[in-house]
Amino acid sequence: MMRHVIGSINVLIRKNLGYGAVTDWNFSDEERRDCFCNHQFNVKACSIQGIFKTADVLAHDPESLACPASMPIDVQIEEMVRFPIDEEELRRYKESLGTTKPKKPYVFIFGHGLWNDLDVQATLNWLDKVVAETTTFFPRLMLTPNASGKKKPVEWRETQGNEALMNFEESIRVEAARRGVEHLGTWNMSIQSNKFDGVHLDLKGNMVKAMMVLNWLNMLDVSQY
Protein backbone atom coordinates (compact mmCIF):
# COMPACT_ATOMS: atom_id res chain seq x y z
CA MET A 1 0.00 0.00 0.00
CA MET A 2 2.86 2.37 0.75
CA ARG A 3 4.17 1.97 -2.77
CA HIS A 4 0.87 3.38 -4.03
CA VAL A 5 1.28 6.45 -1.81
CA ILE A 6 4.79 6.94 -3.16
CA GLY A 7 3.42 6.43 -6.66
CA SER A 8 0.82 9.14 -6.08
CA ILE A 9 3.46 11.53 -4.77
CA ASN A 10 5.36 10.87 -7.99
CA VAL A 11 2.20 11.64 -9.96
CA LEU A 12 2.12 15.03 -8.24
CA ILE A 13 5.79 15.91 -8.60
CA ARG A 14 5.75 14.84 -12.26
CA LYS A 15 2.35 16.46 -12.92
CA ASN A 16 1.32 13.39 -14.86
CA LEU A 17 -1.93 11.64 -13.96
CA GLY A 18 -1.53 9.17 -16.80
CA TYR A 19 1.93 7.74 -16.12
CA GLY A 20 3.43 9.72 -13.23
CA ALA A 21 3.71 6.72 -10.89
CA VAL A 22 5.49 4.37 -13.29
CA THR A 23 8.66 4.12 -15.37
CA ASP A 24 6.91 5.15 -18.56
CA TRP A 25 10.18 6.17 -20.23
CA ASN A 26 10.87 2.51 -21.06
CA PHE A 27 7.30 1.48 -21.92
CA SER A 28 6.34 -0.24 -25.12
CA ASP A 29 3.24 0.91 -26.98
CA GLU A 30 1.34 -1.97 -25.40
CA GLU A 31 2.43 -0.98 -21.89
CA ARG A 32 1.48 2.63 -22.51
CA ARG A 33 -1.99 1.44 -23.45
CA ASP A 34 -2.38 -1.03 -20.59
CA CYS A 35 -0.84 1.06 -17.78
CA PHE A 36 -2.60 4.37 -18.27
CA CYS A 37 -4.14 6.31 -15.36
CA ASN A 38 -5.89 3.97 -12.86
CA HIS A 39 -4.11 0.95 -14.32
CA GLN A 40 -0.82 2.23 -12.90
CA PHE A 41 -2.05 0.77 -9.61
CA ASN A 42 -4.69 -1.86 -10.31
CA VAL A 43 -2.84 -3.91 -12.95
CA LYS A 44 -0.04 -5.94 -11.35
CA ALA A 45 2.17 -5.87 -14.45
CA CYS A 46 2.03 -2.07 -14.26
CA SER A 47 2.30 -1.53 -10.51
CA ILE A 48 5.54 -3.51 -10.31
CA GLN A 49 7.04 -0.91 -12.65
CA GLY A 50 6.55 1.83 -10.10
CA ILE A 51 9.18 4.50 -9.47
CA PHE A 52 11.17 3.66 -6.34
CA LYS A 53 13.47 6.69 -6.21
CA THR A 54 13.71 10.15 -7.71
CA ALA A 55 17.23 9.37 -8.93
CA ASP A 56 15.71 7.08 -11.58
CA VAL A 57 13.54 9.91 -12.89
CA LEU A 58 16.52 12.25 -12.96
CA ALA A 59 18.49 9.66 -14.91
CA HIS A 60 15.82 8.83 -17.49
CA ASP A 61 13.23 11.61 -17.67
CA PRO A 62 14.42 14.70 -15.75
CA GLU A 63 12.19 17.06 -17.72
CA SER A 64 9.13 15.38 -16.23
CA LEU A 65 9.88 16.69 -12.73
CA ALA A 66 7.88 19.77 -11.81
CA CYS A 67 10.38 20.80 -9.13
CA PRO A 68 13.13 23.12 -10.41
CA ALA A 69 16.74 21.95 -10.34
CA SER A 70 17.48 24.71 -7.84
CA MET A 71 15.15 22.98 -5.35
CA PRO A 72 16.08 19.29 -5.64
CA ILE A 73 13.98 16.58 -4.02
CA ASP A 74 14.64 12.93 -3.29
CA VAL A 75 11.67 10.61 -2.81
CA GLN A 76 12.52 6.96 -2.34
CA ILE A 77 11.03 3.83 -0.84
CA GLU A 78 12.55 0.86 0.95
CA GLU A 79 10.44 -2.25 1.46
CA MET A 80 10.76 -4.19 4.72
CA VAL A 81 7.60 -6.23 4.99
CA ARG A 82 8.44 -8.93 7.53
CA PHE A 83 9.59 -9.20 11.11
CA PRO A 84 12.26 -10.14 11.90
CA ILE A 85 13.43 -7.80 9.17
CA ASP A 86 15.65 -9.39 6.55
CA GLU A 87 19.26 -8.33 7.15
CA GLU A 88 19.78 -7.44 3.50
CA GLU A 89 16.74 -5.16 3.53
CA LEU A 90 17.99 -3.51 6.71
CA ARG A 91 21.47 -3.05 5.27
CA ARG A 92 20.06 -1.45 2.13
CA TYR A 93 17.92 0.88 4.22
CA LYS A 94 20.85 2.03 6.36
CA GLU A 95 23.03 2.57 3.30
CA SER A 96 20.38 4.84 1.79
CA LEU A 97 20.60 7.09 4.86
CA GLY A 98 24.30 7.76 4.56
CA THR A 99 26.64 8.55 7.44
CA THR A 100 26.63 12.36 7.46
CA LYS A 101 23.93 14.93 8.07
CA PRO A 102 22.26 15.86 4.75
CA LYS A 103 22.02 19.45 3.53
CA LYS A 104 18.25 19.21 3.72
CA PRO A 105 16.35 17.24 6.38
CA TYR A 106 14.97 13.79 5.76
CA VAL A 107 11.39 12.87 6.51
CA PHE A 108 10.58 9.25 7.31
CA ILE A 109 7.14 7.96 6.40
CA PHE A 110 6.44 4.44 7.60
CA GLY A 111 3.71 2.55 5.83
CA HIS A 112 1.95 -0.66 6.79
CA GLY A 113 0.05 -3.23 4.79
CA LEU A 114 -1.80 -6.37 5.85
CA TRP A 115 1.18 -8.74 5.95
CA ASN A 116 0.77 -9.66 9.63
CA ASP A 117 -3.04 -9.75 9.83
CA LEU A 118 -2.95 -6.49 11.81
CA ASP A 119 -1.14 -8.02 14.78
CA VAL A 120 -0.41 -4.93 16.88
CA GLN A 121 2.54 -6.42 18.77
CA ALA A 122 4.18 -7.71 15.59
CA THR A 123 3.78 -4.25 14.08
CA LEU A 124 5.31 -2.58 17.13
CA ASN A 125 8.26 -4.99 17.02
CA TRP A 126 8.77 -4.02 13.38
CA LEU A 127 8.35 -0.30 14.09
CA ASP A 128 10.76 -0.38 17.05
CA LYS A 129 13.44 -2.01 14.91
CA VAL A 130 13.02 0.46 12.05
CA VAL A 131 12.92 3.45 14.41
CA ALA A 132 16.09 2.21 16.12
CA GLU A 133 17.87 2.44 12.76
CA THR A 134 16.38 5.84 11.89
CA THR A 135 17.74 9.30 12.65
CA THR A 136 15.59 10.32 15.59
CA PHE A 137 15.70 14.11 15.24
CA PHE A 138 14.04 14.11 11.81
CA PRO A 139 10.22 14.02 11.44
CA ARG A 140 8.57 10.59 11.34
CA LEU A 141 5.05 9.65 10.31
CA MET A 142 3.27 6.30 10.47
CA LEU A 143 0.48 5.49 8.00
CA THR A 144 -1.97 2.73 8.81
CA PRO A 145 -4.04 0.84 6.20
CA ASN A 146 -7.17 2.12 4.53
CA ALA A 147 -10.63 0.64 4.96
CA SER A 148 -11.58 -2.57 3.22
CA GLY A 149 -14.27 -2.83 0.56
CA LYS A 150 -17.17 -5.10 -0.31
CA LYS A 151 -14.95 -7.28 -2.52
CA LYS A 152 -12.72 -8.20 0.41
CA PRO A 153 -12.35 -12.01 0.35
CA VAL A 154 -14.57 -13.59 3.01
CA GLU A 155 -11.72 -15.59 4.54
CA TRP A 156 -9.84 -12.37 5.42
CA ARG A 157 -12.69 -10.30 6.81
CA GLU A 158 -12.27 -11.37 10.43
CA THR A 159 -8.56 -10.57 10.67
CA GLN A 160 -8.35 -7.76 8.08
CA GLY A 161 -11.89 -6.41 7.85
CA ASN A 162 -13.11 -2.98 8.87
CA GLU A 163 -13.55 -3.68 12.58
CA ALA A 164 -10.02 -5.08 12.80
CA LEU A 165 -8.69 -2.13 10.79
CA MET A 166 -10.36 0.42 13.08
CA ASN A 167 -9.02 -1.25 16.23
CA PHE A 168 -5.56 -1.51 14.70
CA GLU A 169 -5.51 2.15 13.70
CA GLU A 170 -6.52 3.31 17.17
CA SER A 171 -3.90 1.12 18.85
CA ILE A 172 -1.09 2.22 16.55
CA ARG A 173 -2.00 5.88 17.00
CA VAL A 174 -1.43 5.56 20.75
CA GLU A 175 1.70 3.43 20.51
CA ALA A 176 3.29 5.56 17.78
CA ALA A 177 2.86 8.67 19.92
CA ARG A 178 4.68 6.94 22.78
CA ARG A 179 7.60 6.45 20.42
CA GLY A 180 7.67 10.04 19.18
CA VAL A 181 6.21 9.07 15.81
CA GLU A 182 3.24 10.95 14.40
CA HIS A 183 0.34 8.97 13.00
CA LEU A 184 -1.90 9.35 9.95
CA GLY A 185 -4.95 7.12 9.90
CA THR A 186 -6.58 6.46 6.55
CA TRP A 187 -9.60 4.34 7.47
CA ASN A 188 -12.08 7.20 7.73
CA MET A 189 -11.00 8.93 4.51
CA SER A 190 -11.27 5.70 2.54
CA ILE A 191 -14.39 3.93 3.81
CA GLN A 192 -16.49 5.16 0.86
CA SER A 193 -13.67 5.08 -1.69
CA ASN A 194 -13.51 2.64 -4.58
CA LYS A 195 -11.43 -0.48 -3.90
CA PHE A 196 -11.16 -2.53 -7.06
CA ASP A 197 -10.20 -5.71 -5.19
CA GLY A 198 -11.67 -4.96 -1.77
CA VAL A 199 -8.24 -3.98 -0.45
CA HIS A 200 -6.41 -1.40 -2.57
CA LEU A 201 -7.55 2.11 -3.42
CA ASP A 202 -7.62 3.38 -6.98
CA LEU A 203 -5.70 6.39 -8.25
CA LYS A 204 -8.15 8.90 -6.78
CA GLY A 205 -8.02 7.39 -3.31
CA ASN A 206 -4.26 7.16 -3.31
CA MET A 207 -3.97 10.74 -4.51
CA VAL A 208 -5.94 11.82 -1.44
CA LYS A 209 -3.49 9.88 0.74
CA ALA A 210 -0.56 11.55 -0.99
CA MET A 211 -2.06 15.00 -0.52
CA MET A 212 -2.63 14.27 3.18
CA VAL A 213 1.06 13.42 3.48
CA LEU A 214 2.04 16.60 1.64
CA ASN A 215 -0.22 18.65 3.91
CA TRP A 216 1.60 17.14 6.90
CA LEU A 217 4.94 18.00 5.31
CA ASN A 218 3.75 21.55 4.74
CA MET A 219 3.06 21.96 8.46
CA LEU A 220 6.63 21.07 9.45
CA ASP A 221 9.04 23.80 10.48
CA VAL A 222 12.04 22.77 8.39
CA SER A 223 14.30 25.33 10.06
CA GLN A 224 14.37 23.37 13.32
CA TYR A 225 15.96 20.39 11.60
Side-chain angles (χ1 to χ4, degrees), residues 80-90 115 122 125-126 129-130:
M80 295 175 281
V81 296
R82 296 287 185 275
F83 187 85
I85 299 173
D86 182 89
E87 288 299 321
E88 174 60 23
E89 293 177 344
L90 200 58
W115 55 273
N125 291 340
W126 172 86
K129 181 62 176 178
V130 176

mmCIF file with all atom_site columns, all heavy atoms in Angstrom, residues 80-90 115 122 125-126 129-130:
data_model
loop_
_atom_site.group_PDB
_atom_site.id
_atom_site.type_symbol
_atom_site.label_atom_id
_atom_site.label_alt_id
_atom_site.label_comp_id
_atom_site.label_asym_id
_atom_site.label_entity_id
_atom_site.label_seq_id
_atom_site.pdbx_PDB_ins_code
_atom_site.Cartn_x
_atom_site.Cartn_y
_atom_site.Cartn_z
_atom_site.occupancy
_atom_site.B_iso_or_equiv
_atom_site.pdbx_formal_charge
_atom_site.auth_seq_id
_atom_site.auth_comp_id
_atom_site.auth_asym_id
_atom_site.auth_atom_id
_atom_site.pdbx_PDB_model_num
ATOM 1   N N   . MET A 1 80  ? 10.405 -3.239  3.654  1.00 0.00 ? 80  MET A N   1
ATOM 2   C CA  . MET A 1 80  ? 10.758 -4.187  4.716  1.00 0.00 ? 80  MET A CA  1
ATOM 3   C C   . MET A 1 80  ? 9.438  -4.713  5.268  1.00 0.00 ? 80  MET A C   1
ATOM 4   O O   . MET A 1 80  ? 8.833  -4.094  6.139  1.00 0.00 ? 80  MET A O   1
ATOM 5   C CB  . MET A 1 80  ? 11.583 -3.493  5.803  1.00 0.00 ? 80  MET A CB  1
ATOM 6   C CG  . MET A 1 80  ? 12.943 -3.014  5.324  1.00 0.00 ? 80  MET A CG  1
ATOM 7   S SD  . MET A 1 80  ? 13.877 -2.076  6.563  1.00 0.00 ? 80  MET A SD  1
ATOM 8   C CE  . MET A 1 80  ? 13.066 -0.475  6.439  1.00 0.00 ? 80  MET A CE  1
ATOM 9   N N   . VAL A 1 81  ? 8.981  -5.817  4.754  1.00 0.00 ? 81  VAL A N   1
ATOM 10  C CA  . VAL A 1 81  ? 7.597  -6.231  4.986  1.00 0.00 ? 81  VAL A CA  1
ATOM 11  C C   . VAL A 1 81  ? 7.475  -7.477  5.862  1.00 0.00 ? 81  VAL A C   1
ATOM 12  O O   . VAL A 1 81  ? 6.433  -8.134  5.854  1.00 0.00 ? 81  VAL A O   1
ATOM 13  C CB  . VAL A 1 81  ? 6.873  -6.468  3.644  1.00 0.00 ? 81  VAL A CB  1
ATOM 14  C CG1 . VAL A 1 81  ? 6.768  -5.179  2.861  1.00 0.00 ? 81  VAL A CG1 1
ATOM 15  C CG2 . VAL A 1 81  ? 7.595  -7.536  2.814  1.00 0.00 ? 81  VAL A CG2 1
ATOM 16  N N   . ARG A 1 82  ? 8.497  -7.793  6.616  1.00 0.00 ? 82  ARG A N   1
ATOM 17  C CA  . ARG A 1 82  ? 8.439  -8.931  7.532  1.00 0.00 ? 82  ARG A CA  1
ATOM 18  C C   . ARG A 1 82  ? 9.161  -8.581  8.823  1.00 0.00 ? 82  ARG A C   1
ATOM 19  O O   . ARG A 1 82  ? 10.003 -7.690  8.860  1.00 0.00 ? 82  ARG A O   1
ATOM 20  C CB  . ARG A 1 82  ? 9.104  -10.173 6.912  1.00 0.00 ? 82  ARG A CB  1
ATOM 21  C CG  . ARG A 1 82  ? 8.427  -10.723 5.676  1.00 0.00 ? 82  ARG A CG  1
ATOM 22  C CD  . ARG A 1 82  ? 7.126  -11.438 6.006  1.00 0.00 ? 82  ARG A CD  1
ATOM 23  N NE  . ARG A 1 82  ? 6.548  -12.060 4.830  1.00 0.00 ? 82  ARG A NE  1
ATOM 24  C CZ  . ARG A 1 82  ? 5.764  -11.441 3.961  1.00 0.00 ? 82  ARG A CZ  1
ATOM 25  N NH1 . ARG A 1 82  ? 5.473  -10.162 4.136  1.00 0.00 ? 82  ARG A NH1 1
ATOM 26  N NH2 . ARG A 1 82  ? 5.261  -12.078 2.922  1.00 0.00 ? 82  ARG A NH2 1
ATOM 27  N N   . PHE A 1 83  ? 8.812  -9.282  9.881  1.00 0.00 ? 83  PHE A N   1
ATOM 28  C CA  . PHE A 1 83  ? 9.589  -9.200  11.106 1.00 0.00 ? 83  PHE A CA  1
ATOM 29  C C   . PHE A 1 83  ? 9.826  -10.615 11.614 1.00 0.00 ? 83  PHE A C   1
ATOM 30  O O   . PHE A 1 83  ? 8.877  -11.396 11.692 1.00 0.00 ? 83  PHE A O   1
ATOM 31  C CB  . PHE A 1 83  ? 8.870  -8.377  12.190 1.00 0.00 ? 83  PHE A CB  1
ATOM 32  C CG  . PHE A 1 83  ? 9.741  -8.157  13.400 1.00 0.00 ? 83  PHE A CG  1
ATOM 33  C CD1 . PHE A 1 83  ? 10.637 -7.107  13.422 1.00 0.00 ? 83  PHE A CD1 1
ATOM 34  C CD2 . PHE A 1 83  ? 9.691  -9.028  14.479 1.00 0.00 ? 83  PHE A CD2 1
ATOM 35  C CE1 . PHE A 1 83  ? 11.467 -6.921  14.512 1.00 0.00 ? 83  PHE A CE1 1
ATOM 36  C CE2 . PHE A 1 83  ? 10.520 -8.855  15.566 1.00 0.00 ? 83  PHE A CE2 1
ATOM 37  C CZ  . PHE A 1 83  ? 11.408 -7.799  15.588 1.00 0.00 ? 83  PHE A CZ  1
ATOM 38  N N   . PRO A 1 84  ? 11.055 -10.982 11.935 1.00 0.00 ? 84  PRO A N   1
ATOM 39  C CA  . PRO A 1 84  ? 12.255 -10.143 11.905 1.00 0.00 ? 84  PRO A CA  1
ATOM 40  C C   . PRO A 1 84  ? 12.578 -9.627  10.495 1.00 0.00 ? 84  PRO A C   1
ATOM 41  O O   . PRO A 1 84  ? 12.339 -10.325 9.515  1.00 0.00 ? 84  PRO A O   1
ATOM 42  C CB  . PRO A 1 84  ? 13.355 -11.083 12.406 1.00 0.00 ? 84  PRO A CB  1
ATOM 43  C CG  . PRO A 1 84  ? 12.640 -12.168 13.143 1.00 0.00 ? 84  PRO A CG  1
ATOM 44  C CD  . PRO A 1 84  ? 11.340 -12.343 12.444 1.00 0.00 ? 84  PRO A CD  1
ATOM 45  N N   . ILE A 1 85  ? 13.111 -8.420  10.447 1.00 0.00 ? 85  ILE A N   1
ATOM 46  C CA  . ILE A 1 85  ? 13.435 -7.798  9.169  1.00 0.00 ? 85  ILE A CA  1
ATOM 47  C C   . ILE A 1 85  ? 14.640 -8.488  8.550  1.00 0.00 ? 85  ILE A C   1
ATOM 48  O O   . ILE A 1 85  ? 15.631 -8.767  9.230  1.00 0.00 ? 85  ILE A O   1
ATOM 49  C CB  . ILE A 1 85  ? 13.720 -6.293  9.355  1.00 0.00 ? 85  ILE A CB  1
ATOM 50  C CG1 . ILE A 1 85  ? 12.477 -5.590  9.916  1.00 0.00 ? 85  ILE A CG1 1
ATOM 51  C CG2 . ILE A 1 85  ? 14.143 -5.646  8.040  1.00 0.00 ? 85  ILE A CG2 1
ATOM 52  C CD1 . ILE A 1 85  ? 12.705 -4.138  10.293 1.00 0.00 ? 85  ILE A CD1 1
ATOM 53  N N   . ASP A 1 86  ? 14.545 -8.763  7.270  1.00 0.00 ? 86  ASP A N   1
ATOM 54  C CA  . ASP A 1 86  ? 15.651 -9.386  6.546  1.00 0.00 ? 86  ASP A CA  1
ATOM 55  C C   . ASP A 1 86  ? 16.896 -8.497  6.643  1.00 0.00 ? 86  ASP A C   1
ATOM 56  O O   . ASP A 1 86  ? 16.824 -7.287  6.453  1.00 0.00 ? 86  ASP A O   1
ATOM 57  C CB  . ASP A 1 86  ? 15.249 -9.583  5.080  1.00 0.00 ? 86  ASP A CB  1
ATOM 58  C CG  . ASP A 1 86  ? 16.336 -10.268 4.276  1.00 0.00 ? 86  ASP A CG  1
ATOM 59  O OD1 . ASP A 1 86  ? 16.339 -11.502 4.224  1.00 0.00 ? 86  ASP A OD1 1
ATOM 60  O OD2 . ASP A 1 86  ? 17.182 -9.549  3.712  1.00 0.00 ? 86  ASP A OD2 1
ATOM 61  N N   . GLU A 1 87  ? 18.032 -9.101  6.951  1.00 0.00 ? 87  GLU A N   1
ATOM 62  C CA  . GLU A 1 87  ? 19.264 -8.333  7.154  1.00 0.00 ? 87  GLU A CA  1
ATOM 63  C C   . GLU A 1 87  ? 19.678 -7.563  5.901  1.00 0.00 ? 87  GLU A C   1
ATOM 64  O O   . GLU A 1 87  ? 20.214 -6.458  5.987  1.00 0.00 ? 87  GLU A O   1
ATOM 65  C CB  . GLU A 1 87  ? 20.394 -9.264  7.597  1.00 0.00 ? 87  GLU A CB  1
ATOM 66  C CG  . GLU A 1 87  ? 20.250 -9.772  9.021  1.00 0.00 ? 87  GLU A CG  1
ATOM 67  C CD  . GLU A 1 87  ? 20.245 -8.635  10.039 1.00 0.00 ? 87  GLU A CD  1
ATOM 68  O OE1 . GLU A 1 87  ? 21.010 -7.665  9.866  1.00 0.00 ? 87  GLU A OE1 1
ATOM 69  O OE2 . GLU A 1 87  ? 19.459 -8.721  10.997 1.00 0.00 ? 87  GLU A OE2 1
ATOM 70  N N   . GLU A 1 88  ? 19.434 -8.131  4.733  1.00 0.00 ? 88  GLU A N   1
ATOM 71  C CA  . GLU A 1 88  ? 19.784 -7.441  3.496  1.00 0.00 ? 88  GLU A CA  1
ATOM 72  C C   . GLU A 1 88  ? 18.916 -6.203  3.305  1.00 0.00 ? 88  GLU A C   1
ATOM 73  O O   . GLU A 1 88  ? 19.397 -5.147  2.884  1.00 0.00 ? 88  GLU A O   1
ATOM 74  C CB  . GLU A 1 88  ? 19.624 -8.389  2.303  1.00 0.00 ? 88  GLU A CB  1
ATOM 75  C CG  . GLU A 1 88  ? 19.833 -7.743  0.935  1.00 0.00 ? 88  GLU A CG  1
ATOM 76  C CD  . GLU A 1 88  ? 21.224 -7.145  0.756  1.00 0.00 ? 88  GLU A CD  1
ATOM 77  O OE1 . GLU A 1 88  ? 22.161 -7.570  1.468  1.00 0.00 ? 88  GLU A OE1 1
ATOM 78  O OE2 . GLU A 1 88  ? 21.372 -6.243  -0.093 1.00 0.00 ? 88  GLU A OE2 1
ATOM 79  N N   . GLU A 1 89  ? 17.631 -6.319  3.628  1.00 0.00 ? 89  GLU A N   1
ATOM 80  C CA  . GLU A 1 89  ? 16.737 -5.164  3.533  1.00 0.00 ? 89  GLU A CA  1
ATOM 81  C C   . GLU A 1 89  ? 17.160 -4.073  4.510  1.00 0.00 ? 89  GLU A C   1
ATOM 82  O O   . GLU A 1 89  ? 17.142 -2.883  4.176  1.00 0.00 ? 89  GLU A O   1
ATOM 83  C CB  . GLU A 1 89  ? 15.298 -5.596  3.813  1.00 0.00 ? 89  GLU A CB  1
ATOM 84  C CG  . GLU A 1 89  ? 14.712 -6.514  2.758  1.00 0.00 ? 89  GLU A CG  1
ATOM 85  C CD  . GLU A 1 89  ? 13.316 -6.990  3.101  1.00 0.00 ? 89  GLU A CD  1
ATOM 86  O OE1 . GLU A 1 89  ? 12.911 -6.861  4.275  1.00 0.00 ? 89  GLU A OE1 1
ATOM 87  O OE2 . GLU A 1 89  ? 12.625 -7.490  2.198  1.00 0.00 ? 89  GLU A OE2 1
ATOM 88  N N   . LEU A 1 90  ? 17.553 -4.479  5.700  1.00 0.00 ? 90  LEU A N   1
ATOM 89  C CA  . LEU A 1 90  ? 17.987 -3.513  6.709  1.00 0.00 ? 90  LEU A CA  1
ATOM 90  C C   . LEU A 1 90  ? 19.293 -2.843  6.296  1.00 0.00 ? 90  LEU A C   1
ATOM 91  O O   . LEU A 1 90  ? 19.462 -1.624  6.462  1.00 0.00 ? 90  LEU A O   1
ATOM 92  C CB  . LEU A 1 90  ? 18.157 -4.219  8.053  1.00 0.00 ? 90  LEU A CB  1
ATOM 93  C CG  . LEU A 1 90  ? 18.144 -3.345  9.309  1.00 0.00 ? 90  LEU A CG  1
ATOM 94  C CD1 . LEU A 1 90  ? 16.843 -2.560  9.412  1.00 0.00 ? 90  LEU A CD1 1
ATOM 95  C CD2 . LEU A 1 90  ? 18.345 -4.206  10.550 1.00 0.00 ? 90  LEU A CD2 1
ATOM 96  N N   . TRP A 1 115 ? 0.320  -7.554  5.953  1.00 0.00 ? 115 TRP A N   1
ATOM 97  C CA  . TRP A 1 115 ? 1.177  -8.736  5.951  1.00 0.00 ? 115 TRP A CA  1
ATOM 98  C C   . TRP A 1 115 ? 1.118  -9.544  7.241  1.00 0.00 ? 115 TRP A C   1
ATOM 99  O O   . TRP A 1 115 ? 1.396  -10.739 7.247  1.00 0.00 ? 115 TRP A O   1
ATOM 100 C CB  . TRP A 1 115 ? 2.625  -8.335  5.664  1.00 0.00 ? 115 TRP A CB  1
ATOM 101 C CG  . TRP A 1 115 ? 3.181  -7.287  6.583  1.00 0.00 ? 115 TRP A CG  1
ATOM 102 C CD1 . TRP A 1 115 ? 3.076  -5.928  6.434  1.00 0.00 ? 115 TRP A CD1 1
ATOM 103 C CD2 . TRP A 1 115 ? 3.911  -7.483  7.799  1.00 0.00 ? 115 TRP A CD2 1
ATOM 104 N NE1 . TRP A 1 115 ? 3.697  -5.272  7.466  1.00 0.00 ? 115 TRP A NE1 1
ATOM 105 C CE2 . TRP A 1 115 ? 4.219  -6.201  8.327  1.00 0.00 ? 115 TRP A CE2 1
ATOM 106 C CE3 . TRP A 1 115 ? 4.346  -8.609  8.492  1.00 0.00 ? 115 TRP A CE3 1
ATOM 107 C CZ2 . TRP A 1 115 ? 4.932  -6.015  9.505  1.00 0.00 ? 115 TRP A CZ2 1
ATOM 108 C CZ3 . TRP A 1 115 ? 5.061  -8.426  9.669  1.00 0.00 ? 115 TRP A CZ3 1
ATOM 109 C CH2 . TRP A 1 115 ? 5.346  -7.147  10.170 1.00 0.00 ? 115 TRP A CH2 1
ATOM 110 N N   . ALA A 1 122 ? 3.233  -7.462  16.687 1.00 0.00 ? 122 ALA A N   1
ATOM 111 C CA  . ALA A 1 122 ? 4.176  -7.712  15.591 1.00 0.00 ? 122 ALA A CA  1
ATOM 112 C C   . ALA A 1 122 ? 4.524  -6.409  14.880 1.00 0.00 ? 122 ALA A C   1
ATOM 113 O O   . ALA A 1 122 ? 5.682  -6.178  14.503 1.00 0.00 ? 122 ALA A O   1
ATOM 114 C CB  . ALA A 1 122 ? 3.584  -8.716  14.603 1.00 0.00 ? 122 ALA A CB  1
ATOM 115 N N   . ASN A 1 125 ? 6.904  -4.426  17.099 1.00 0.00 ? 125 ASN A N   1
ATOM 116 C CA  . ASN A 1 125 ? 8.257  -4.990  17.021 1.00 0.00 ? 125 ASN A CA  1
ATOM 117 C C   . ASN A 1 125 ? 8.964  -4.499  15.764 1.00 0.00 ? 125 ASN A C   1
ATOM 118 O O   . ASN A 1 125 ? 10.147 -4.126  15.793 1.00 0.00 ? 125 ASN A O   1
ATOM 119 C CB  . ASN A 1 125 ? 8.192  -6.519  17.017 1.00 0.00 ? 125 ASN A CB  1
ATOM 120 C CG  . ASN A 1 125 ? 7.735  -7.086  18.344 1.00 0.00 ? 125 ASN A CG  1
ATOM 121 O OD1 . ASN A 1 125 ? 7.808  -6.419  19.380 1.00 0.00 ? 125 ASN A OD1 1
ATOM 122 N ND2 . ASN A 1 125 ? 7.252  -8.318  18.323 1.00 0.00 ? 125 ASN A ND2 1
ATOM 123 N N   . TRP A 1 126 ? 8.230  -4.503  14.660 1.00 0.00 ? 126 TRP A N   1
ATOM 124 C CA  . TRP A 1 126 ? 8.769  -4.016  13.384 1.00 0.00 ? 126 TRP A CA  1
ATOM 125 C C   . TRP A 1 126 ? 9.099  -2.531  13.469 1.00 0.00 ? 126 TRP A C   1
ATOM 126 O O   . TRP A 1 126 ? 10.186 -2.092  13.087 1.00 0.00 ? 126 TRP A O   1
ATOM 127 C CB  . TRP A 1 126 ? 7.735  -4.288  12.284 1.00 0.00 ? 126 TRP A CB  1
ATOM 128 C CG  . TRP A 1 126 ? 8.042  -3.695  10.948 1.00 0.00 ? 126 TRP A CG  1
ATOM 129 C CD1 . TRP A 1 126 ? 8.805  -4.243  9.958  1.00 0.00 ? 126 TRP A CD1 1
ATOM 130 C CD2 . TRP A 1 126 ? 7.572  -2.436  10.439 1.00 0.00 ? 126 TRP A CD2 1
ATOM 131 N NE1 . TRP A 1 126 ? 8.838  -3.404  8.860  1.00 0.00 ? 126 TRP A NE1 1
ATOM 132 C CE2 . TRP A 1 126 ? 8.098  -2.295  9.133  1.00 0.00 ? 126 TRP A CE2 1
ATOM 133 C CE3 . TRP A 1 126 ? 6.767  -1.430  10.957 1.00 0.00 ? 126 TRP A CE3 1
ATOM 134 C CZ2 . TRP A 1 126 ? 7.829  -1.173  8.347  1.00 0.00 ? 126 TRP A CZ2 1
ATOM 135 C CZ3 . TRP A 1 126 ? 6.503  -0.313  10.172 1.00 0.00 ? 126 TRP A CZ3 1
ATOM 136 C CH2 . TRP A 1 126 ? 7.038  -0.196  8.888  1.00 0.00 ? 126 TRP A CH2 1
ATOM 137 N N   . LYS A 1 129 ? 12.179 -1.697  15.587 1.00 0.00 ? 129 LYS A N   1
ATOM 138 C CA  . LYS A 1 129 ? 13.437 -2.010  14.909 1.00 0.00 ? 129 LYS A CA  1
ATOM 139 C C   . LYS A 1 129 ? 13.767 -0.959  13.859 1.00 0.00 ? 129 LYS A C   1
ATOM 140 O O   . LYS A 1 129 ? 14.919 -0.499  13.771 1.00 0.00 ? 129 LYS A O   1
ATOM 141 C CB  . LYS A 1 129 ? 13.339 -3.394  14.255 1.00 0.00 ? 129 LYS A CB  1
ATOM 142 C CG  . LYS A 1 129 ? 14.604 -3.834  13.525 1.00 0.00 ? 129 LYS A CG  1
ATOM 143 C CD  . LYS A 1 129 ? 15.789 -3.951  14.470 1.00 0.00 ? 129 LYS A CD  1
ATOM 144 C CE  . LYS A 1 129 ? 17.016 -4.494  13.755 1.00 0.00 ? 129 LYS A CE  1
ATOM 145 N NZ  . LYS A 1 129 ? 18.197 -4.557  14.659 1.00 0.00 ? 129 LYS A NZ  1
ATOM 146 N N   . VAL A 1 130 ? 12.773 -0.546  13.084 1.00 0.00 ? 130 VAL A N   1
ATOM 147 C CA  . VAL A 1 130 ? 13.019 0.465   12.053 1.00 0.00 ? 130 VAL A CA  1
ATOM 148 C C   . VAL A 1 130 ? 13.377 1.805   12.688 1.00 0.00 ? 130 VAL A C   1
ATOM 149 O O   . VAL A 1 130 ? 14.318 2.483   12.260 1.00 0.00 ? 130 VAL A O   1
ATOM 150 C CB  . VAL A 1 130 ? 11.785 0.619   11.135 1.00 0.00 ? 130 VAL A CB  1
ATOM 151 C CG1 . VAL A 1 130 ? 12.013 1.732   10.122 1.00 0.00 ? 130 VAL A CG1 1
ATOM 152 C CG2 . VAL A 1 130 ? 11.491 -0.685  10.408 1.00 0.00 ? 130 VAL A CG2 1
#
